[in-house]
Amino acid sequence: MSRKILIVDDDPSVCATMKYILGRAGNEVRTSVSASEALSLAQKDQFDLLISDLVMPEQDGIELIRKFKNAFPRKPIVAMSGGARLGTPDTLSSAHAAGADALLPKPFDADSLLTVIEVAFAKQIRPLRSGS
């Protein structure tokens, strides 16, 4: 199943690696190196998932996640960052509080990336109520 995924990271090599992995898995992928560009892309095109780095120079990923979740409340979001920064309780709780559905530590491998995306999509599936 092809999904449209938007990746935001200020490191172009990270964007390229993720685009390659996710593209090979059958997804349509767009990348951005800034939060403002990512928000502009999201307003123009409908994405199924946002993957955002947490540490970026112009605007941090927490703020981007918050804005994206406000604009697109039912779209899943994956927050990613270097392992040391991602591992702090404040960062984890901030990313979750901002609306992240899953977390991806860097460095990552292809399997970890694909798994975390499935986790984020699974969290967006709401069970139907039975017996009304």
Side-chain angles (χ1 to χ4, degrees), residues 55-73:
V55 181
M56 295 184 286
E58 173 196 321
Q59 181 181 87
D60 73 16
I62 299 290
E63 186 60 28
L64 172 60
I65 289 168
R66 191 174 291 118
K67 288 178 179 179
F68 190 88
K69 191 55 98 173
N70 280 337
F72 310 101

Side-chain angles (χ1 to χ4, degrees), residues 1-8 19 22 27-32 34-51 64 68-69 71-78 101 117 121 124:
M1 176 172 155
S2 179
R3 297 171 173 149
K4 291 178 82 171
I5 299 173
L6 176 58
I7 300 167
V8 188
K19 184 174 184 174
L22 295 171
N27 299 288
E28 183 180 332
V29 182
R30 295 282 308 266
T31 63
S32 173
S34 75
S36 59
E37 179 187 38
L39 286 171
S40 178
L41 287 170
Q43 294 295 332
K44 294 176 188 171
D45 202 354
Q46 292 203 9
F47 292 93
D48 299 312
L49 173 79
L50 170 70
I51 302 173
L64 172 60
F68 190 88
K69 191 55 98 173
F72 310 101
R74 298 196 48 83
K75 302 291 182 179
I77 299 172
V78 173
D101 298 291
I117 285 175
F121 277 112
Q124 292 298 309

Side-chain angles (χ1 to χ4, degrees), residues 55-120:
V55 181
M56 295 184 286
E58 173 196 321
Q59 181 181 87
D60 73 16
I62 299 290
E63 186 60 28
L64 172 60
I65 289 168
R66 191 174 291 118
K67 288 178 179 179
F68 190 88
K69 191 55 98 173
N70 280 337
F72 310 101
R74 298 196 48 83
K75 302 291 182 179
I77 299 172
V78 173
M80 68 175 168
S81 191
R85 168 83 191 246
L86 190 63
T88 65
D90 290 342
T91 302
L92 292 172
S93 62
S94 295
H96 180 71
D101 298 291
L103 301 165
L104 177 66
K106 292 182 199 173
F108 55 84
D109 60 24
D111 289 338
S112 298
L113 174 59
L114 295 171
T115 298
V116 79
I117 285 175
E118 292 309 317
V119 166

